[in-house]
Amino acid sequence: MIITLFGNDKTIENEDDIAGIVDDIKIWAEAKQKTILMDAYSFSLCHADNVSDPTAICSGIANNFLETEDVIASFVLMECKEKIYISARSTDELDVQPFMEQLGGSGDANTASAQLTDCTLEDGLRKLVKILPEKRKEGDTD
């Protein structure tokens, strides 16, 4: 059986697959609970040391949270195995690529990501929030 969870297809063949899906839902719930709205940005924080593909889960959550009313960019920061994964999604009103590039990542205007090491989840959030207003002042948004 195949189900779609946060935009990602998941195959269920055994009990371990079900347990993995439950873990994914717990991560999404944590991210939803730890969401901060600032201006037209959504920032979500979560931990996920037991997932096999943190990038896919992080991006799926970011896509889901972009659907929030009046949000033009969604940023999900996930701590997993001593790294901070950042997934950025946006509407056409904001180019998220420059922000992720400034943090060492890449992507395109509407989907970008970065990975940080040697910092905490909260440090990663501070770094991201710090560069967003600077980019907005420089005219990188419409």
Side-chain angles (χ1 to χ4, degrees), residues 26-92:
K26 287 178 183 177
I27 294 164
W28 180 87
E30 178 187 3
K32 184 72 173 173
Q33 184 179 27
K34 295 180 180 177
T35 297
I36 302 160
L37 296 175
M38 182 181 82
D39 295 329
Y41 304 132
S42 167
F43 302 94
S44 303
L45 310 174
C46 56
H47 299 82
D49 282 332
N50 59 343
V51 298
S52 60
D53 191 353
T55 304
I57 294 171
C58 201
S59 65
I61 294 170
N63 285 335
N64 185 269
F65 289 172
L66 185 59
E67 296 173 9
T68 304
E69 188 176 344
D70 297 326
V71 169
I72 64 168
S74 170
F75 301 91
V76 175
L77 291 84
M78 177 186 290
E79 185 174 12
C80 182
K81 300 174 185 161
E82 300 183 21
K83 284 186 183 177
I84 306 299
Y85 293 81
I86 304 175
S87 183
R89 298 294 182 268
S90 69
T91 65
D92 290 334

